[in-house]
């Protein structure tokens, strides 16, 4: 019943926002941030690996961990949920995908321009001039637990860092601005696979709700976003999202 109601809301929408988190990629086998702190990485914690201070103190350790995460994400394939999100964009061209994920599975499923609020494993940049040296993260195939020296910027010689948002850092301004504008102007927002507790990203579905949009949540578990959701679909992204794509 609620699935039919959700599908009807999507079918009638002119502008849809799909807001995704780690649960979106769970069925592709992409480990969450915390799940990647296993095996030989288990002796570190997020504070050793995902802060500007950690990179400054031990760039080889941090680069090695991100190279490892990037290799694991590269080995994963988009799931039926990612493909449904891309199909939704084909059916409703004014669809904006806003993701907190640093993998590239939305792009590889066919979404044209997902907004990456927390950056990307595949967009390393120079700490000096901010340039994006192409695909340098591919340079060495990482082993678990292995330190790897980060490359140097071809222009200024400074270290190249992972293009993700670390603890204590601001979100990329243009991405956040575009996501807020899309949320404020949509008729339907789908929130998929996110716990909705990490701010400011977690404001996105709340902004849509305040602006009068219908919020549809896809998550097997309860979250704080239950409170702003018009329809709560308790299940996984890969099983439920295909049923929401207009025929
Ligand atoms: N389909 C849909 N939802 C799922 C699935 C699935 N197959 N599997 C798990 N979930 C849900 C969980 O119930 C949980 O609510 O996905 C959510 C994942 O929550 P988090 O791990 O907190 O991930 P996310 O919300 O993306 O975290 C936000 O925090 O770790 C930092 O920067 C990182 O971008 C991340 C941010």
């Amino acid at each position: 019943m609620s699935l039919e109601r959700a599908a009807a809301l999507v079918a009638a929408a002119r502008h849809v926002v799909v807001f995704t988190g780690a649960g979106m990629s769970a069925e592709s086998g992409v480990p969450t941030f915390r799940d990647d702190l296993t095996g030989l990485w288990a002796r570190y914690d997020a504070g050793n690996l995902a802060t500007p201070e950690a990179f400054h103190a031990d760039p080889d350790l941090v680069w090695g961990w991100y190279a490892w995460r990037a290799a694991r994400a590269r080995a994963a394939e988009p799931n039926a949920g990612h493909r449904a999100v891309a199909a939704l964009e084909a059916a409703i061209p004014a669809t904006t995908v806003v993701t907190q994920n640093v993998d590239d599975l939305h792009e590889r499923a066919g979404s044209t321009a997902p907004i990456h609020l927390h950056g990307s494993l595949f967009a390393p940049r120079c700490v000096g001039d901010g340039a994006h040296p192409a695909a340098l993260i591919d340079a060495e195939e990482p082993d678990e637990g292995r330190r790897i020296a980060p490359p140097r910027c071809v222009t200024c010689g400074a270290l190249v860092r992972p293009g993700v948002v670390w603890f204590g850092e601001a979100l990329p301004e243009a991405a956040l601005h575009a996501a807020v504008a899309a949320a404020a102007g949509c008729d339907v927002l789908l929130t998929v696979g996110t716990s909705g507790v990490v701010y400011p990203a977690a404001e996105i579905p709340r902004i849509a709700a305040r602006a009068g949009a219908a919020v549809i949540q896809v998550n097997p578990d309860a979250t704080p976003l239950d409170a702003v959701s018009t329809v709560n679909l308790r299940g996984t992204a890969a099983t439920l999202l295909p049923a929401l794509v207009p025929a």
Side-chain angles (χ1 to χ4, degrees), residues 21-23 26-27 32-33 100 118 193-196 198 218-221 223 235-237:
E27 287 154 288
T32 62
F33 180 86
Q100 299 163 87
H118 291 166
T194 179
S195 54
V198 176
V218 175
N219 197 311
D221 297 322
T223 79
T236 74

Side-chain angles (χ1 to χ4, degrees), residues 131-238:
H132 288 243
L136 281 173
I137 206 154
D138 286 330
E140 273 186 83
E141 206 42 56
D143 294 324
E144 186 174 344
R146 181 166 154 230
R147 285 179 148 75
I148 298 176
R152 296 266 170 190
C153 175
V154 289
T155 311
C156 73
L159 285 180
V160 170
R161 59 160 280 176
V164 300
V165 176
W166 280 326
F167 291 110
E169 292 188 314
L171 271 55
E173 209 174 308
L176 184 58
H177 185 78
V180 167
C186 70
D187 345 86
V188 170
L189 181 139
L190 283 159
T191 176
V192 183
T194 179
S195 54
V197 296
V198 176
Y199 285 85
E203 276 296 347
I204 298 300
R206 294 174 169 95
I207 288 168
R210 281 201 296 276
V215 174
I216 300 168
Q217 177 167 237
V218 175
N219 197 311
D221 297 322
T223 79
L225 293 173
D226 288 7
V228 297
S229 297
T230 318
V231 184
N232 259 303
L233 301 176
R234 291 274 189 261
T236 74

Side-chain angles (χ1 to χ4, degrees), residues 32 47 62 70-71 74 77 88 111 118 229 237 239:
T32 62
V62 173
R74 204 179 296 116
E77 294 296 334
L88 191 61
S111 290
H118 291 166
S229 297
T239 54

